[in-house]
Amino acid sequence: MRFHRVRVESRERLGSYRVLRYPWEGDVEPGQFVLIRAASQRTSFDPFLARPFSVYDLRGGVMSVLLEVRGRGTRLIASSEEIEVSAPHGRGYRPDVPAGRVALIAREGKVAPLRLLYRRLQERGVDHDIFLQLAAAQVPILRDFPGARVVDDFGDLSGYAAVYASGPGAVPPGIPCQVAVEEMMACGEGSCYGCAVPLAGGGYARACVEGPVFEARELAWI
Amino acid sequence: MDLNVELCGLRLHTPLVPAAGTHGKEAVQASEGVYGAVLPKTVTPQPRTGNPPPRLAETPAGMINSIGLQNPGVERFMEELDAFDTGVPLFVSVAGETAGDYSLLCGRLAADDRVRAIELNLSCPNVERGGLYFCAVPASVEEVVAAAVEAAGGKPVLAKLASEGAVEGAQAAERAGAAAVTLINTLPALAVDARRREVRLRGGLSGPAIKPVALRAVYEAFRAVGIPILGCGGVATGTDVAEFMLAGATAVQIGSAGFVRDPREILREFSGYLRETGLDARDLIGAAH
Ligand SMILES: Cc1cc2nc3c(=O)[nH]c(=O)nc-3n(C[C@H](O)[C@H](O)[C@H](O)COP(=O)(O)OP(=O)(O)OC[C@H]3O[C@@H](n4cnc5c(N)ncnc54)[C@H](O)[C@@H]3O)c2cc1C
Ligand SMILES: Cc1cc2nc3c(=O)[nH]c(=O)nc-3n(C[C@H](O)[C@H](O)[C@H](O)COP(=O)(O)O)c2cc1C
Ligand code: FES
């Protein structure tokens, strides 16, 4: 895997989230992810693997990711001036939807992949509503999702033409739904088959190549 | 400074080879001539869906995997083989449950001109011998290598072994006609989730954590057999490549390190080592003995 060393340009706290920004030339699809590690990991191999993060936003040559500190890897990344990043990978959301209003839903605070998607839908004039399941410490993220509603559950989504989800969970029957999943990854580029996601028809897909965004009906666990 | 090595009658323009199961076609295509040969993921006679997740755990300087040899089966694999053609010799890794499976796979692969050598992944249960790994029983190694060599009709057969019993296994493989041995496969490992009080993953350990174990296996096998050795296990830097060759490896496989490093950098570091020492790659082989 090819990593690029970049300097973190800015770092901002929004409740329990942190936004990291770094320079990046190139394009990205909403829902794609990057692998990130602290620069020190290159030679220390400690932690050994880089960590996957959804692309949060990309504008004017500045990439942002939204991270929550979970364990050693995220703690180290959050406090590093210099990080190493991969190019964006994977299959993102495919916002080629039937005409009509669409819903963007984030389960358990997994809002990151929806930000760029929401901006792109907005640019294209697609009508949408955003529903976010947030813990109290996550509510400050609403700054980046103007108009979004904080919900405990998503209620009846049957009036929408399509649903774009982040995080696993029940899907409204009969509505086209794309969902972003998080699976542990090693290579992030299709080599190791470590990021297996069970498919409805049997067998597994790789979250890093065939995903991380899937048609919800393709997946076994929904 | 000359990077060329000769392995089983093939000229490799560098001594680096991807380790089976760690370099998909995207990674191979991105490696831009770093590798002296290409080696895709192990293929079995029939498709295998692989193990349910989780399949990965991280360890200090390494990782544990339990993929379960997910692969599309030999027929589909052959249809997609051109994706691995990068102009360097193509090796194919095979596995089965019986000596007959290995022999069938070798026959099928040997008939294809694109395949230049076959590596037997012997870290698999032998269903005809109570499910013990082939590589754990020298008599099994000898039986399966002999069957594979016969079916391969002159194409080089490499036997990939575990660290445990590496010397006896390498000797058995040599007796049975193997052209080379690959040392080592992953080490048996376990990850336990203390919070949930349950096993998280039972699988194989790889990465820099296993390098000293792999070096020892290469070193001892070099003294015990006359056939070439492909060193494998924890190689992550150019110096690691040199160390494996000094211990006795003719070529060196890059596995998990490919997930966290650009193999072009590893080759650059190794070239730097050769330039500094004024040696050619082939001068290193076994020079620490
Ligand atoms: C496609 C994708 C997109 C993601 N996007 C984001 C994001 O935008 N923001 C964010 O905060 N987090 C995101 N995550 C989750 C993030 O990668 C994990 O929180 C992080 O890897 C945890 O590492 P750690 O060392 O802090 O935690 P530890 O618990 O110490 O990690 C131990 C191991 O488990 C793995 N792991 C732990 N939790 C997860 C998880 N939820 N998903 C995958 N692997 C995990 C780690 O990679 C590591 O190898 C994403 C994960 C994936 C797969
Ligand atoms: C994710 C993963 C998948 C692997 N798959 C295979 C495989 O299909 N066949 C095989 O012979 N070895 C397989 N291995 C073992 C490697 O080829 C190699 O022997 C081992 O990882 C030690 O080398 P390393 O420390 O450089 O990774 C796999 C290893 C990893 C990490
Ligand atoms: S992380 Fe290796 S195949 Fe997806």
Side-chain angles (χ1 to χ4, degrees), chain B residues 42 92-95 102-103 106 118-123 141 144-146 148-149 157-161 178 182 185:
Chain B
T42 297
V92 174
S93 165
V94 299
Y102 285 90
S103 142
C106 288
I118 301 165
E119 184 177 85
L120 311 179
N121 174 358
L122 298 177
S123 295
V141 173
V144 72
V145 172
V149 168
V157 170
L158 286 49
K160 182 171 178 182
L161 302 166
T182 300
N185 213 314

mmCIF file with all atom_site columns, all heavy atoms in Angstrom, chain B residues 42 92-95 102-103 106 118-123 141 144-146 148-149 157-161 178 182 185:
data_model
loop_
_atom_site.group_PDB
_atom_site.id
_atom_site.type_symbol
_atom_site.label_atom_id
_atom_site.label_alt_id
_atom_site.label_comp_id
_atom_site.label_asym_id
_atom_site.label_entity_id
_atom_site.label_seq_id
_atom_site.pdbx_PDB_ins_code
_atom_site.Cartn_x
_atom_site.Cartn_y
_atom_site.Cartn_z
_atom_site.occupancy
_atom_site.B_iso_or_equiv
_atom_site.pdbx_formal_charge
_atom_site.auth_seq_id
_atom_site.auth_comp_id
_atom_site.auth_asym_id
_atom_site.auth_atom_id
_atom_site.pdbx_PDB_model_num
ATOM 1   N N   . THR B 1 42  ? -3.546 -18.517 -2.646  1.00 0.00 ? 42  THR B N   1
ATOM 2   C CA  . THR B 1 42  ? -3.717 -19.960 -2.794  1.00 0.00 ? 42  THR B CA  1
ATOM 3   C C   . THR B 1 42  ? -5.052 -20.313 -3.441  1.00 0.00 ? 42  THR B C   1
ATOM 4   O O   . THR B 1 42  ? -6.099 -19.786 -3.064  1.00 0.00 ? 42  THR B O   1
ATOM 5   C CB  . THR B 1 42  ? -3.644 -20.645 -1.414  1.00 0.00 ? 42  THR B CB  1
ATOM 6   O OG1 . THR B 1 42  ? -2.345 -20.427 -0.863  1.00 0.00 ? 42  THR B OG1 1
ATOM 7   C CG2 . THR B 1 42  ? -3.905 -22.137 -1.533  1.00 0.00 ? 42  THR B CG2 1
ATOM 8   N N   . VAL B 1 92  ? 2.141  -20.075 -8.881  1.00 0.00 ? 92  VAL B N   1
ATOM 9   C CA  . VAL B 1 92  ? 0.783  -20.236 -8.364  1.00 0.00 ? 92  VAL B CA  1
ATOM 10  C C   . VAL B 1 92  ? 0.834  -21.101 -7.106  1.00 0.00 ? 92  VAL B C   1
ATOM 11  O O   . VAL B 1 92  ? 1.513  -22.128 -7.070  1.00 0.00 ? 92  VAL B O   1
ATOM 12  C CB  . VAL B 1 92  ? -0.153 -20.846 -9.429  1.00 0.00 ? 92  VAL B CB  1
ATOM 13  C CG1 . VAL B 1 92  ? -1.516 -21.142 -8.821  1.00 0.00 ? 92  VAL B CG1 1
ATOM 14  C CG2 . VAL B 1 92  ? -0.310 -19.888 -10.607 1.00 0.00 ? 92  VAL B CG2 1
ATOM 15  N N   . SER B 1 93  ? 0.116  -20.667 -6.069  1.00 0.00 ? 93  SER B N   1
ATOM 16  C CA  . SER B 1 93  ? 0.050  -21.396 -4.807  1.00 0.00 ? 93  SER B CA  1
ATOM 17  C C   . SER B 1 93  ? -1.205 -22.263 -4.787  1.00 0.00 ? 93  SER B C   1
ATOM 18  O O   . SER B 1 93  ? -2.288 -21.795 -5.143  1.00 0.00 ? 93  SER B O   1
ATOM 19  C CB  . SER B 1 93  ? 0.014  -20.395 -3.650  1.00 0.00 ? 93  SER B CB  1
ATOM 20  O OG  . SER B 1 93  ? -0.385 -21.040 -2.450  1.00 0.00 ? 93  SER B OG  1
ATOM 21  N N   . VAL B 1 94  ? -1.050 -23.522 -4.391  1.00 0.00 ? 94  VAL B N   1
ATOM 22  C CA  . VAL B 1 94  ? -2.198 -24.438 -4.392  1.00 0.00 ? 94  VAL B CA  1
ATOM 23  C C   . VAL B 1 94  ? -2.347 -25.111 -3.030  1.00 0.00 ? 94  VAL B C   1
ATOM 24  O O   . VAL B 1 94  ? -1.387 -25.264 -2.282  1.00 0.00 ? 94  VAL B O   1
ATOM 25  C CB  . VAL B 1 94  ? -2.057 -25.534 -5.473  1.00 0.00 ? 94  VAL B CB  1
ATOM 26  C CG1 . VAL B 1 94  ? -1.975 -24.916 -6.858  1.00 0.00 ? 94  VAL B CG1 1
ATOM 27  C CG2 . VAL B 1 94  ? -0.853 -26.432 -5.204  1.00 0.00 ? 94  VAL B CG2 1
ATOM 28  N N   . ALA B 1 95  ? -3.584 -25.508 -2.726  1.00 0.00 ? 95  ALA B N   1
ATOM 29  C CA  . ALA B 1 95  ? -3.839 -26.269 -1.499  1.00 0.00 ? 95  ALA B CA  1
ATOM 30  C C   . ALA B 1 95  ? -4.996 -27.229 -1.714  1.00 0.00 ? 95  ALA B C   1
ATOM 31  O O   . ALA B 1 95  ? -5.869 -26.986 -2.555  1.00 0.00 ? 95  ALA B O   1
ATOM 32  C CB  . ALA B 1 95  ? -4.169 -25.320 -0.347  1.00 0.00 ? 95  ALA B CB  1
ATOM 33  N N   . TYR B 1 102 ? -3.698 -32.066 -4.570  1.00 0.00 ? 102 TYR B N   1
ATOM 34  C CA  . TYR B 1 102 ? -2.489 -31.336 -4.987  1.00 0.00 ? 102 TYR B CA  1
ATOM 35  C C   . TYR B 1 102 ? -2.042 -31.798 -6.367  1.00 0.00 ? 102 TYR B C   1
ATOM 36  O O   . TYR B 1 102 ? -1.628 -31.005 -7.206  1.00 0.00 ? 102 TYR B O   1
ATOM 37  C CB  . TYR B 1 102 ? -1.361 -31.534 -3.973  1.00 0.00 ? 102 TYR B CB  1
ATOM 38  C CG  . TYR B 1 102 ? -1.540 -30.735 -2.696  1.00 0.00 ? 102 TYR B CG  1
ATOM 39  C CD1 . TYR B 1 102 ? -2.227 -31.267 -1.611  1.00 0.00 ? 102 TYR B CD1 1
ATOM 40  C CD2 . TYR B 1 102 ? -1.021 -29.457 -2.568  1.00 0.00 ? 102 TYR B CD2 1
ATOM 41  C CE1 . TYR B 1 102 ? -2.399 -30.550 -0.437  1.00 0.00 ? 102 TYR B CE1 1
ATOM 42  C CE2 . TYR B 1 102 ? -1.180 -28.716 -1.400  1.00 0.00 ? 102 TYR B CE2 1
ATOM 43  C CZ  . TYR B 1 102 ? -1.866 -29.269 -0.333  1.00 0.00 ? 102 TYR B CZ  1
ATOM 44  O OH  . TYR B 1 102 ? -2.036 -28.548 0.815   1.00 0.00 ? 102 TYR B OH  1
ATOM 45  N N   . SER B 1 103 ? -2.134 -33.108 -6.577  1.00 0.00 ? 103 SER B N   1
ATOM 46  C CA  . SER B 1 103 ? -1.679 -33.648 -7.840  1.00 0.00 ? 103 SER B CA  1
ATOM 47  C C   . SER B 1 103 ? -2.588 -33.173 -8.973  1.00 0.00 ? 103 SER B C   1
ATOM 48  O O   . SER B 1 103 ? -2.116 -32.739 -10.037 1.00 0.00 ? 103 SER B O   1
ATOM 49  C CB  . SER B 1 103 ? -1.591 -35.157 -7.657  1.00 0.00 ? 103 SER B CB  1
ATOM 50  O OG  . SER B 1 103 ? -1.985 -35.839 -8.742  1.00 0.00 ? 103 SER B OG  1
ATOM 51  N N   . CYS B 1 106 ? -1.760 -29.487 -9.642  1.00 0.00 ? 106 CYS B N   1
ATOM 52  C CA  . CYS B 1 106 ? -0.472 -29.336 -10.331 1.00 0.00 ? 106 CYS B CA  1
ATOM 53  C C   . CYS B 1 106 ? -0.591 -29.724 -11.794 1.00 0.00 ? 106 CYS B C   1
ATOM 54  O O   . CYS B 1 106 ? -0.011 -29.071 -12.663 1.00 0.00 ? 106 CYS B O   1
ATOM 55  C CB  . CYS B 1 106 ? 0.605  -30.172 -9.639  1.00 0.00 ? 106 CYS B CB  1
ATOM 56  S SG  . CYS B 1 106 ? 1.080  -29.457 -8.059  1.00 0.00 ? 106 CYS B SG  1
ATOM 57  N N   . ILE B 1 118 ? 5.022  -23.859 -9.174  1.00 0.00 ? 118 ILE B N   1
ATOM 58  C CA  . ILE B 1 118 ? 3.857  -24.086 -8.314  1.00 0.00 ? 118 ILE B CA  1
ATOM 59  C C   . ILE B 1 118 ? 4.335  -24.189 -6.872  1.00 0.00 ? 118 ILE B C   1
ATOM 60  O O   . ILE B 1 118 ? 5.283  -24.926 -6.574  1.00 0.00 ? 118 ILE B O   1
ATOM 61  C CB  . ILE B 1 118 ? 3.128  -25.385 -8.731  1.00 0.00 ? 118 ILE B CB  1
ATOM 62  C CG1 . ILE B 1 118 ? 2.667  -25.277 -10.193 1.00 0.00 ? 118 ILE B CG1 1
ATOM 63  C CG2 . ILE B 1 118 ? 1.943  -25.662 -7.807  1.00 0.00 ? 118 ILE B CG2 1
ATOM 64  C CD1 . ILE B 1 118 ? 2.280  -26.596 -10.816 1.00 0.00 ? 118 ILE B CD1 1
ATOM 65  N N   . GLU B 1 119 ? 3.690  -23.404 -5.992  1.00 0.00 ? 119 GLU B N   1
ATOM 66  C CA  . GLU B 1 119 ? 4.020  -23.482 -4.571  1.00 0.00 ? 119 GLU B CA  1
ATOM 67  C C   . GLU B 1 119 ? 2.914  -24.268 -3.868  1.00 0.00 ? 119 GLU B C   1
ATOM 68  O O   . GLU B 1 119 ? 1.733  -23.945 -4.019  1.00 0.00 ? 119 GLU B O   1
ATOM 69  C CB  . GLU B 1 119 ? 4.136  -22.069 -3.960  1.00 0.00 ? 119 GLU B CB  1
ATOM 70  C CG  . GLU B 1 119 ? 4.573  -22.092 -2.502  1.00 0.00 ? 119 GLU B CG  1
ATOM 71  C CD  . GLU B 1 119 ? 4.756  -20.685 -1.912  1.00 0.00 ? 119 GLU B CD  1
ATOM 72  O OE1 . GLU B 1 119 ? 3.749  -20.096 -1.455  1.00 0.00 ? 119 GLU B OE1 1
ATOM 73  O OE2 . GLU B 1 119 ? 5.891  -20.179 -1.919  1.00 0.00 ? 119 GLU B OE2 1
ATOM 74  N N   . LEU B 1 120 ? 3.308  -25.292 -3.107  1.00 0.00 ? 120 LEU B N   1
ATOM 75  C CA  . LEU B 1 120 ? 2.321  -26.065 -2.358  1.00 0.00 ? 120 LEU B CA  1
ATOM 76  C C   . LEU B 1 120 ? 2.163  -25.445 -0.980  1.00 0.00 ? 120 LEU B C   1
ATOM 77  O O   . LEU B 1 120 ? 3.126  -25.391 -0.204  1.00 0.00 ? 120 LEU B O   1
ATOM 78  C CB  . LEU B 1 120 ? 2.784  -27.524 -2.198  1.00 0.00 ? 120 LEU B CB  1
ATOM 79  C CG  . LEU B 1 120 ? 3.273  -28.243 -3.464  1.00 0.00 ? 120 LEU B CG  1
ATOM 80  C CD1 . LEU B 1 120 ? 3.724  -29.664 -3.102  1.00 0.00 ? 120 LEU B CD1 1
ATOM 81  C CD2 . LEU B 1 120 ? 2.198  -28.271 -4.536  1.00 0.00 ? 120 LEU B CD2 1
ATOM 82  N N   . ASN B 1 121 ? 0.960  -24.963 -0.680  1.00 0.00 ? 121 ASN B N   1
ATOM 83  C CA  . ASN B 1 121 ? 0.662  -24.465 0.658   1.00 0.00 ? 121 ASN B CA  1
ATOM 84  C C   . ASN B 1 121 ? 0.328  -25.699 1.502   1.00 0.00 ? 121 ASN B C   1
ATOM 85  O O   . ASN B 1 121 ? -0.756 -26.266 1.372   1.00 0.00 ? 121 ASN B O   1
ATOM 86  C CB  . ASN B 1 121 ? -0.520 -23.486 0.567   1.00 0.00 ? 121 ASN B CB  1
ATOM 87  C CG  . ASN B 1 121 ? -1.006 -23.030 1.923   1.00 0.00 ? 121 ASN B CG  1
ATOM 88  O OD1 . ASN B 1 121 ? -0.496 -23.457 2.957   1.00 0.00 ? 121 ASN B OD1 1
ATOM 89  N ND2 . ASN B 1 121 ? -2.005 -22.171 1.921   1.00 0.00 ? 121 ASN B ND2 1
ATOM 90  N N   . LEU B 1 122 ? 1.261  -26.095 2.355   1.00 0.00 ? 122 LEU B N   1
ATOM 91  C CA  . LEU B 1 122 ? 1.076  -27.350 3.102   1.00 0.00 ? 122 LEU B CA  1
ATOM 92  C C   . LEU B 1 122 ? 0.556  -27.116 4.520   1.00 0.00 ? 122 LEU B C   1
ATOM 93  O O   . LEU B 1 122 ? 0.499  -28.047 5.322   1.00 0.00 ? 122 LEU B O   1
ATOM 94  C CB  . LEU B 1 122 ? 2.394  -28.143 3.116   1.00 0.00 ? 122 LEU B CB  1
ATOM 95  C CG  . LEU B 1 122 ? 2.868  -28.550 1.708   1.00 0.00 ? 122 LEU B CG  1
ATOM 96  C CD1 . LEU B 1 122 ? 4.221  -29.260 1.765   1.00 0.00 ? 122 LEU B CD1 1
ATOM 97  C CD2 . LEU B 1 122 ? 1.843  -29.455 1.019   1.00 0.00 ? 122 LEU B CD2 1
ATOM 98  N N   . SER B 1 123 ? 0.149  -25.870 4.809   1.00 0.00 ? 123 SER B N   1
ATOM 99  C CA  . SER B 1 123 ? -0.460 -25.581 6.112   1.00 0.00 ? 123 SER B CA  1
ATOM 100 C C   . SER B 1 123 ? -1.965 -25.809 6.040   1.00 0.00 ? 123 SER B C   1
ATOM 101 O O   . SER B 1 123 ? -2.760 -24.912 6.310   1.00 0.00 ? 123 SER B O   1
ATOM 102 C CB  . SER B 1 123 ? -0.157 -24.145 6.527   1.00 0.00 ? 123 SER B CB  1
ATOM 103 O OG  . SER B 1 123 ? 1.232  -24.001 6.722   1.00 0.00 ? 123 SER B OG  1
ATOM 104 N N   . VAL B 1 141 ? 4.453  -34.729 3.948   1.00 0.00 ? 141 VAL B N   1
ATOM 105 C CA  . VAL B 1 141 ? 5.151  -33.797 3.058   1.00 0.00 ? 141 VAL B CA  1
ATOM 106 C C   . VAL B 1 141 ? 5.734  -34.585 1.890   1.00 0.00 ? 141 VAL B C   1
ATOM 107 O O   . VAL B 1 141 ? 5.560  -34.219 0.712   1.00 0.00 ? 141 VAL B O   1
ATOM 108 C CB  . VAL B 1 141 ? 6.269  -33.024 3.798   1.00 0.00 ? 141 VAL B CB  1
ATOM 109 C CG1 . VAL B 1 141 ? 7.092  -32.188 2.823   1.00 0.00 ? 141 VAL B CG1 1
ATOM 110 C CG2 . VAL B 1 141 ? 5.676  -32.142 4.897   1.00 0.00 ? 141 VAL B CG2 1
ATOM 111 N N   . VAL B 1 144 ? 2.933  -35.896 -0.513  1.00 0.00 ? 144 VAL B N   1
ATOM 112 C CA  . VAL B 1 144 ? 2.220  -34.907 -1.309  1.00 0.00 ? 144 VAL B CA  1
ATOM 113 C C   . VAL B 1 144 ? 3.173  -34.222 -2.295  1.00 0.00 ? 144 VAL B C   1
ATOM 114 O O   . VAL B 1 144 ? 2.810  -33.950 -3.447  1.00 0.00 ? 144 VAL B O   1
ATOM 115 C CB  . VAL B 1 144 ? 1.465  -33.905 -0.400  1.00 0.00 ? 144 VAL B CB  1
ATOM 116 C CG1 . VAL B 1 144 ? 2.392  -32.955 0.304   1.00 0.00 ? 144 VAL B CG1 1
ATOM 117 C CG2 . VAL B 1 144 ? 0.446  -33.108 -1.171  1.00 0.00 ? 144 VAL B CG2 1
ATOM 118 N N   . VAL B 1 145 ? 4.411  -33.993 -1.888  1.00 0.00 ? 145 VAL B N   1
ATOM 119 C CA  . VAL B 1 145 ? 5.370  -33.364 -2.810  1.00 0.00 ? 145 VAL B CA  1
ATOM 120 C C   . VAL B 1 145 ? 5.666  -34.318 -3.970  1.00 0.00 ? 145 VAL B C   1
ATOM 121 O O   . VAL B 1 145 ? 5.699  -33.902 -5.134  1.00 0.00 ? 145 VAL B O   1
ATOM 122 C CB  . VAL B 1 145 ? 6.670  -32.937 -2.086  1.00 0.00 ? 145 VAL B CB  1
ATOM 123 C CG1 . VAL B 1 145 ? 7.723  -32.465 -3.086  1.00 0.00 ? 145 VAL B CG1 1
ATOM 124 C CG2 . VAL B 1 145 ? 6.381  -31.832 -1.066  1.00 0.00 ? 145 VAL B CG2 1
ATOM 125 N N   . ALA B 1 146 ? 5.833  -35.597 -3.655  1.00 0.00 ? 146 ALA B N   1
ATOM 126 C CA  . ALA B 1 146 ? 6.116  -36.566 -4.726  1.00 0.00 ? 146 ALA B CA  1
ATOM 127 C C   . ALA B 1 146 ? 4.971  -36.591 -5.730  1.00 0.00 ? 146 ALA B C   1
ATOM 128 O O   . ALA B 1 146 ? 5.195  -36.575 -6.950  1.00 0.00 ? 146 ALA B O   1
ATOM 129 C CB  . ALA B 1 146 ? 6.343  -37.961 -4.130  1.00 0.00 ? 146 ALA B CB  1
ATOM 130 N N   . ALA B 1 148 ? 2.836  -34.207 -6.331  1.00 0.00 ? 148 ALA B N   1
ATOM 131 C CA  . ALA B 1 148 ? 2.782  -32.922 -7.034  1.00 0.00 ? 148 ALA B CA  1
ATOM 132 C C   . ALA B 1 148 ? 3.866  -32.849 -8.110  1.00 0.00 ? 148 ALA B C   1
ATOM 133 O O   . ALA B 1 148 ? 3.613  -32.404 -9.236  1.00 0.00 ? 148 ALA B O   1
ATOM 134 C CB  . ALA B 1 148 ? 2.943  -31.776 -6.041  1.00 0.00 ? 148 ALA B CB  1
ATOM 135 N N   . VAL B 1 149 ? 5.067  -33.288 -7.755  1.00 0.00 ? 149 VAL B N   1
ATOM 136 C CA  . VAL B 1 149 ? 6.190  -33.227 -8.705  1.00 0.00 ? 149 VAL B CA  1
ATOM 137 C C   . VAL B 1 149 ? 5.887  -34.081 -9.931  1.00 0.00 ? 149 VAL B C   1
ATOM 138 O O   . VAL B 1 149 ? 6.122  -33.667 -11.072 1.00 0.00 ? 149 VAL B O   1
ATOM 139 C CB  . VAL B 1 149 ? 7.505  -33.675 -8.015  1.00 0.00 ? 149 VAL B CB  1
ATOM 140 C CG1 . VAL B 1 149 ? 8.612  -33.904 -9.035  1.00 0.00 ? 149 VAL B CG1 1
ATOM 141 C CG2 . VAL B 1 149 ? 7.928  -32.640 -6.969  1.00 0.00 ? 149 VAL B CG2 1
ATOM 142 N N   . VAL B 1 157 ? 8.373  -27.318 -8.396  1.00 0.00 ? 157 VAL B N   1
ATOM 143 C CA  . VAL B 1 157 ? 7.407  -27.368 -7.307  1.00 0.00 ? 157 VAL B CA  1
ATOM 144 C C   . VAL B 1 157 ? 8.104  -26.890 -6.036  1.00 0.00 ? 157 VAL B C   1
ATOM 145 O O   . VAL B 1 157 ? 9.172  -27.370 -5.669  1.00 0.00 ? 157 VAL B O   1
ATOM 146 C CB  . VAL B 1 157 ? 6.874  -28.807 -7.116  1.00 0.00 ? 157 VAL B CB  1
ATOM 147 C CG1 . VAL B 1 157 ? 6.068  -28.915 -5.829  1.00 0.00 ? 157 VAL B CG1 1
ATOM 148 C CG2 . VAL B 1 157 ? 6.035  -29.229 -8.311  1.00 0.00 ? 157 VAL B CG2 1
ATOM 149 N N   . LEU B 1 158 ? 7.484  -25.879 -5.385  1.00 0.00 ? 158 LEU B N   1
ATOM 150 C CA  . LEU B 1 158 ? 8.022  -25.323 -4.137  1.00 0.00 ? 158 LEU B CA  1
ATOM 151 C C   . LEU B 1 158 ? 7.145  -25.817 -2.996  1.00 0.00 ? 158 LEU B C   1
ATOM 152 O O   . LEU B 1 158 ? 5.921  -25.779 -3.105  1.00 0.00 ? 158 LEU B O   1
ATOM 153 C CB  . LEU B 1 158 ? 7.955  -23.792 -4.163  1.00 0.00 ? 158 LEU B CB  1
ATOM 154 C CG  . LEU B 1 158 ? 8.919  -22.972 -5.010  1.00 0.00 ? 158 LEU B CG  1
ATOM 155 C CD1 . LEU B 1 158 ? 9.044  -23.448 -6.429  1.00 0.00 ? 158 LEU B CD1 1
ATOM 156 C CD2 . LEU B 1 158 ? 8.502  -21.505 -4.996  1.00 0.00 ? 158 LEU B CD2 1
ATOM 157 N N   . ALA B 1 159 ? 7.750  -26.256 -1.893  1.00 0.00 ? 159 ALA B N   1
ATOM 158 C CA  . ALA B 1 159 ? 6.966  -26.694 -0.740  1.00 0.00 ? 159 ALA B CA  1
ATOM 159 C C   . ALA B 1 159 ? 7.015  -25.612 0.321   1.00 0.00 ? 159 ALA B C   1
ATOM 160 O O   . ALA B 1 159 ? 8.086  -25.251 0.807   1.00 0.00 ? 159 ALA B O   1
ATOM 161 C CB  . ALA B 1 159 ? 7.530  -28.002 -0.196  1.00 0.00 ? 159 ALA B CB  1
ATOM 162 N N   . LYS B 1 160 ? 5.832  -25.076 0.679   1.00 0.00 ? 160 LYS B N   1
ATOM 163 C CA  . LYS B 1 160 ? 5.786  -24.036 1.710   1.00 0.00 ? 160 LYS B CA  1
ATOM 164 C C   . LYS B 1 160 ? 5.443  -24.674 3.053   1.00 0.00 ? 160 LYS B C   1
ATOM 165 O O   . LYS B 1 160 ? 4.426  -25.350 3.179   1.00 0.00 ? 160 LYS B O   1
ATOM 166 C CB  . LYS B 1 160 ? 4.760  -22.967 1.358   1.00 0.00 ? 160 LYS B CB  1
ATOM 167 C CG  . LYS B 1 160 ? 4.706  -21.841 2.386   1.00 0.00 ? 160 LYS B CG  1
ATOM 168 C CD  . LYS B 1 160 ? 3.842  -20.696 1.901   1.00 0.00 ? 160 LYS B CD  1
ATOM 169 C CE  . LYS B 1 160 ? 3.743  -19.599 2.926   1.00 0.00 ? 160 LYS B CE  1
ATOM 170 N NZ  . LYS B 1 160 ? 2.856  -18.513 2.478   1.00 0.00 ? 160 LYS B NZ  1
ATOM 171 N N   . LEU B 1 161 ? 6.299  -24.432 4.036   1.00 0.00 ? 161 LEU B N   1
ATOM 172 C CA  . LEU B 1 161 ? 6.212  -25.148 5.307   1.00 0.00 ? 161 LEU B CA  1
ATOM 173 C C   . LEU B 1 161 ? 6.032  -24.194 6.472   1.00 0.00 ? 161 LEU B C   1
ATOM 174 O O   . LEU B 1 161 ? 6.235  -22.978 6.351   1.00 0.00 ? 161 LEU B O   1
ATOM 175 C CB  . LEU B 1 161 ? 7.499  -25.963 5.508   1.00 0.00 ? 161 LEU B CB  1
ATOM 176 C CG  . LEU B 1 161 ? 7.797  -26.981 4.401   1.00 0.00 ? 161 LEU B CG  1
ATOM 177 C CD1 . LEU B 1 161 ? 9.228  -27.479 4.503   1.00 0.00 ? 161 LEU B CD1 1
ATOM 178 C CD2 . LEU B 1 161 ? 6.811  -28.144 4.461   1.00 0.00 ? 161 LEU B CD2 1
ATOM 179 N N   . ALA B 1 178 ? 11.157 -31.726 -4.523  1.00 0.00 ? 178 ALA B N   1
ATOM 180 C CA  . ALA B 1 178 ? 10.823 -30.294 -4.558  1.00 0.00 ? 178 ALA B CA  1
ATOM 181 C C   . ALA B 1 178 ? 12.007 -29.512 -5.114  1.00 0.00 ? 178 ALA B C   1
ATOM 182 O O   . ALA B 1 178 ? 13.166 -29.838 -4.851  1.00 0.00 ? 178 ALA B O   1
ATOM 183 C CB  . ALA B 1 178 ? 10.475 -29.787 -3.159  1.00 0.00 ? 178 ALA B CB  1
ATOM 184 N N   . THR B 1 182 ? 9.680  -22.926 0.748   1.00 0.00 ? 182 THR B N   1
ATOM 185 C CA  . THR B 1 182 ? 9.351  -21.597 1.265   1.00 0.00 ? 182 THR B CA  1
ATOM 186 C C   . THR B 1 182 ? 9.169  -21.724 2.772   1.00 0.00 ? 182 THR B C   1
ATOM 187 O O   . THR B 1 182 ? 8.407  -22.555 3.246   1.00 0.00 ? 182 THR B O   1
ATOM 188 C CB  . THR B 1 182 ? 8.050  -21.070 0.614   1.00 0.00 ? 182 THR B CB  1
ATOM 189 O OG1 . THR B 1 182 ? 8.246  -21.001 -0.793  1.00 0.00 ? 182 THR B OG1 1
ATOM 190 C CG2 . THR B 1 182 ? 7.707  -19.695 1.147   1.00 0.00 ? 182 THR B CG2 1
ATOM 191 N N   . ASN B 1 185 ? 5.240  -20.258 6.836   1.00 0.00 ? 185 ASN B N   1
ATOM 192 C CA  . ASN B 1 185 ? 3.859  -19.780 6.850   1.00 0.00 ? 185 ASN B CA  1
ATOM 193 C C   . ASN B 1 185 ? 3.606  -19.098 8.194   1.00 0.00 ? 185 ASN B C   1
ATOM 194 O O   . ASN B 1 185 ? 4.505  -18.999 9.027   1.00 0.00 ? 185 ASN B O   1
ATOM 195 C CB  . ASN B 1 185 ? 2.896  -20.949 6.627   1.00 0.00 ? 185 ASN B CB  1
ATOM 196 C CG  . ASN B 1 185 ? 1.642  -20.511 5.864   1.00 0.00 ? 185 ASN B CG  1
ATOM 197 O OD1 . ASN B 1 185 ? 1.043  -19.488 6.194   1.00 0.00 ? 185 ASN B OD1 1
ATOM 198 N ND2 . ASN B 1 185 ? 1.249  -21.274 4.865   1.00 0.00 ? 185 ASN B ND2 1
#
